[in-house]
Amino acid sequence: MKRSRAKKPSRKKRLNYGRLPVLLFVLFLAYLVIVAGGQLRQLWVMKRTLAQAEEELKTLKAHNQQLWEKVQVLQNPGALEQLARQRLGMVKPGEVPVLNSSPPSQGPNQAAPKE
């Protein structure tokens, strides 16, 4: 014989309104953590970018200083003439150019050419 099981009346789970404020508070905290995390990451990226830009600025200022020193040197006519003579082989009118046909002298670290 089969016993028929009597169906128990199902209980509907009802929301416990006493816990609702706690649930809302936890959701609010989770939202704040997500938003703050994104902002902190963005701040970290901006700080890193700023550090890179400051390092590049420092390098460019040093290079700019070197260029200004070259400008100051080249504004001296004597230095400009010396540079023209050395690099371009220029001579004054009436001077006889002297050409050096011997190979450059070897330093102590250079090996002698093999014959």
Side-chain angles (χ1 to χ4, degrees), residues 12-115:
K12 292 184 177 179
K13 291 187 178 183
R14 294 182 0 175
L15 186 59
N16 186 352
Y17 290 108
R19 293 184 180 175
L20 185 61
V22 173
L23 178 64
L24 290 175
F25 182 70
V26 168
L27 289 174
F28 178 71
L29 284 179
Y31 171 76
L32 285 180
V33 167
I34 291 170
V35 170
Q39 294 295 321
L40 287 175
R41 182 184 177 282
Q42 186 178 8
L43 179 65
W44 178 74
V45 168
M46 289 173 69
K47 281 184 178 181
R48 190 175 64 185
T49 304
L50 178 64
Q52 290 173 347
E54 286 176 344
E55 185 65 30
E56 184 180 0
L57 177 64
K58 182 180 174 183
T59 303
L60 290 174
K61 281 186 175 182
H63 184 66
N64 193 24
Q65 181 62 33
Q66 291 174 350
L67 291 175
W68 274 112
E69 289 171 1
K70 284 184 180 180
V71 166
Q72 295 299 321
V73 168
L74 292 176
Q75 286 183 353
N76 179 0
L80 189 58
E81 179 183 344
Q82 181 183 5
L83 186 63
R85 287 175 178 267
Q86 288 175 351
R87 291 195 180 172
L88 303 175
M90 297 182 80
V91 294
K92 289 182 178 180
E95 286 184 341
V96 177
V98 178
L99 299 176
N100 188 0
S101 62
S102 65
S105 62
Q106 295 178 350
N109 294 334
Q110 295 177 344
K114 295 181 181 180
E115 295 179 16

